[in-house]
Amino acid sequence: QVQLVESGGDLVQPGGSLRLSCRASEEFTLSSYSVGWIRQAPGKDREGVLCINRSGGVASYGDSVKDRFTISRDTAKNTVYLQMNNLKSEDTAVYYCAADAVCAAKPRDYYFWGQGTQVTVSS
């Protein structure tokens, strides 16, 4: 069964840091796919954050996180990470990882999805 599992979400104070992990099942070679991080705040549509393509290139969906968040991949661990620094209250959302052949123009166009992990930024 193809499966993506996010972890690392937590309650953190503004200015804090978190590292989210997206681990794929052994049958799913994550390095063969583009992997995006997408977030969804309550009552809002899903918003693309960052995506790493199969060549290691990074695509950003906007300027709100590009200077604070970084995406990386550990092929040996079959895992993609999202390092989040200087977190703000506006970053509060459920964070999903998703995979497809290419970085999707629209977040909902990704084919494979994890279950999401909650990130809450509050003082």
Side-chain angles (χ1 to χ4, degrees), residues 23-39:
R23 184 185 64 81
S25 60
E26 294 181 353
E27 297 82 7
F28 189 98
T29 304
L30 202 56
S31 61
S32 297
Y33 295 84
S34 296
V35 179
W37 282 98
I38 300 93
R39 65 186 183 184

Side-chain angles (χ1 to χ4, degrees), residues 93-113:
V94 176
Y95 283 72
Y96 301 88
C97 66
D100 212 326
V102 299
C103 291
K106 296 181 178 180
R108 290 188 177 273
D109 289 343
Y110 285 99
Y111 191 81
F112 300 103
W113 289 82

Side-chain angles (χ1 to χ4, degrees), residues 10-85:
D10 205 351
L11 172 65
V12 63
Q13 293 183 339
S17 298
L18 285 173
R19 188 181 73 164
L20 306 183
S21 299
C22 174
R23 184 185 64 81
S25 60
E26 294 181 353
E27 297 82 7
F28 189 98
T29 304
L30 202 56
S31 61
S32 297
Y33 295 84
S34 296
V35 179
W37 282 98
I38 300 93
R39 65 186 183 184
Q40 186 170 28
K44 296 187 177 181
D45 202 2
R46 295 189 179 190
E47 174 190 15
V49 181
L50 291 169
C51 180
I52 184 168
N53 63 30
R54 293 180 292 175
S55 299
V58 175
S60 175
Y61 288 90
D63 295 332
S64 63
V65 303
K66 70 175 184 179
D67 295 328
R68 300 181 293 118
F69 293 8
T70 56
I71 188 170
S72 62
R73 175 165 52 214
D74 188 329
T75 301
K77 295 182 179 179
N78 209 23
T79 301
V80 169
Y81 301 97
L82 182 68
Q83 178 66 47
M84 306 185 294
N85 298 322

